[in-house]
Amino acid sequence: DGGITQSPKYLFRKEGQNVTLSCEQNLNHDAMYWYRQDPGQGLRLIYYSQIVNDFQKGDIAEGYSVSREKKESFPLTVTSAQKNPTAFYLCASSGPSSGNTIYFGEGSWLTVV
Amino acid sequence: DAKTTQPPSMDCAEGRAANLPCNHSTISGNEYVYWYRQIHSQGPQYIIHGLKNNETNEMASLIITEDRKSSTLILPHATLRDTAVYYCIVRGLNTGTASKLTFGTGTRLQVTL
């Protein structure tokens, strides 16, 4: 089935460690996105990518990094510079094949202790 | 992207129609109205979108006023599984760019027996 796969679903890390969240899509979408959601809040855009080897900062990019070496993959690294990394992270993608509608993965819970 | 205003919460009896309003008075001519919903700890699910005509799919109907300053999402026969946070989002679709979604806090719909 076509879709967006995020892994892991739950992740615990010690403070000061970098952690990388995986996002893979087989929808042949050009654009991919990372959002962060805090409890009881809406989603905030971290980074997005329109095409391979290109990405732009969203509203809250500080303390995060991304890469887009392949069309299907858009991993997000939460660095030690991110002051409050504990959150729910959502990956999404869009493309002409889906009328440019943005579809989301199931999310990854990151807890930093 | 234009900003939207939604009531923070609504209740609906199971089997009845749920009508969720959204105000987007600053919408511009090339911006679409999108609706998503999010069940706790899951990724947002796309429901429907429209530009100026009313739209219907297997999940819901979208009614957009003639001046496009507001819209209503209708779930014709709400079930307990429709309990979720519903987000109304206005989004432009610029050819060749990744047009991102800006989320507000949405409407928490509670469907009751």
Side-chain angles (χ1 to χ4, degrees), chain A residues 16-86:
Chain A
Q17 289 182 331
N18 291 354
V19 60
T20 297
L21 305 178
S22 170
C23 179
E24 303 277 333
Q25 54 96 2
N26 60 3
L27 300 169
N28 199 33
H29 285 168
D30 292 311
M32 296 187 74
Y33 314 75
W34 275 105
Y35 286 84
R36 168 184 172 138
Q37 186 174 33
D38 294 286
Q41 305 295 316
L43 283 69
R44 293 183 291 167
L45 183 66
I46 305 172
Y47 268 99
Y48 65 104
S49 168
Q50 302 175 42
I51 197 168
V52 175
N53 293 322
D54 179 69
F55 47 83
Q56 287 82 41
K57 293 182 179 180
D59 301 318
I60 55 165
E62 186 175 350
Y64 299 97
S65 66
V66 293
S67 63
R68 187 84 187 278
E69 297 177 1
K70 298 187 301 181
K71 187 176 186 178
E72 302 80 15
S73 179
F74 191 41
L76 173 74
T77 297
V78 185
T79 75
S80 57
Q82 169 49 233
K83 296 199 180 340
N84 296 298
T86 294

Side-chain angles (χ1 to χ4, degrees), chain B residues 69-88:
Chain B
K69 293 185 177 182
S70 66
S71 61
T72 301
L73 178 74
I74 301 173
L75 307 178
H77 304 287
T79 71
L80 296 177
R81 292 185 181 181
D82 293 321
T83 293
V85 177
Y86 287 77
Y87 295 100
C88 167

Side-chain angles (χ1 to χ4, degrees), chain A residues 9 35 37 45 100 102 105, chain B residues 36 38 41 43 91 96 100-101:
Chain A
K9 177 69 176 177
Y35 286 84
Q37 186 174 33
L45 183 66
N100 287 319
I102 296 178
Chain B
Y36 285 79
Q38 187 178 25
S41 298
R91 175 189 180 217
K100 54 190 188 289
L101 295 169

Side-chain angles (χ1 to χ4, degrees), chain A residues 9 31 33 35 37 41-43 45 48 50 88 90 94 99-106 109, chain B residues 34 36 38 40-44 46 49 87 91 93 96-105:
Chain A
K9 177 69 176 177
Y33 314 75
Y35 286 84
Q37 186 174 33
Q41 305 295 316
L43 283 69
L45 183 66
Y48 65 104
Q50 302 175 42
F88 188 46
L90 287 153
S94 68
N100 287 319
T101 295
I102 296 178
Y103 291 95
F104 287 83
E106 286 303 305
W109 282 99
Chain B
Y34 278 77
Y36 285 79
Q38 187 178 25
H40 184 61
S41 298
Q42 297 182 19
Y46 165 77
H49 74 281
Y87 295 100
R91 175 189 180 217
L93 287 179
T97 65
S99 180
K100 54 190 188 289
L101 295 169
T102 300
F103 284 77
T105 52

